[in-house]
Amino acid sequence: ENKKNYEEAYTLLTEYSEGEFQQTVTNLIRQGKEEGLFRNDIDEDSICKFQFNRIKSIVEDEIFRDKPITDPIYMESIIIDLIGITTIKGHKLIVTKANEIQNEII
């Protein structure tokens, strides 16, 4: 369903190689570490691989098959992932941004 309804996102994901994704996410994690948002002890390569495969599995309908991409479960899964790799400073930013997104949706 997501693959069908979000064909443009699926195409973008398939064209965006895992290597490109890893470079982008690694740079973001490094910047976040410098800013005190991400924990210093996280393994950047493992986080990148996990996130790439999670996003791919969502777009390819391997998980949450019966739920549209607009379902709150997707936002919850992102928040849970981020809480695990961020500092308290990062947690506060996540809550702020999540609330902003939620308010835009409502």
Side-chain angles (χ1 to χ4, degrees):
E1 176 127 350
N2 288 328
K3 188 175 176 180
K4 180 176 66 177
N5 292 332
Y6 298 94
E7 191 172 325
E8 186 177 326
Y10 179 75
T11 301
L12 182 63
L13 178 67
T14 57
E15 291 174 356
Y16 196 67
S17 76
E18 188 171 356
E20 291 171 306
F21 181 87
Q22 183 157 358
Q23 183 177 0
T24 300
V25 172
T26 297
N27 290 337
L28 289 171
I29 291 173
R30 287 181 182 155
Q31 179 182 346
K33 284 181 176 182
E34 290 172 10
E35 295 174 10
L37 299 171
F38 287 100
R39 295 181 6 227
N40 285 322
D41 64 339
I42 62 170
D43 182 302
E44 296 157 11
D45 290 335
S46 296
I47 297 299
C48 289
K49 288 175 185 170
F50 174 74
Q51 293 302 326
F52 182 82
N53 287 314
R54 183 179 61 83
I55 291 167
K56 186 177 174 187
S57 68
I58 289 170
V59 173
E60 292 180 349
D61 291 323
E62 293 174 10
I63 58 174
F64 307 132
R65 285 191 175 121
D66 59 335
K67 302 199 183 298
I69 199 104
T70 54
D71 192 285
I73 192 70
Y74 292 104
M75 178 63 82
E76 286 299 316
S77 71
I78 292 168
I79 291 170
I80 289 167
D81 288 347
L82 289 173
I83 292 293
I85 62 173
T86 54
T87 62
I88 297 299
K89 181 179 177 182
H91 296 181
K92 291 176 183 176
L93 182 60
I94 291 165
V95 169
T96 299
K97 293 297 181 183
N99 286 336
E100 287 174 9
I101 291 168
Q102 189 68 22
N103 289 335
E104 287 178 16
I105 294 171
I106 297 175

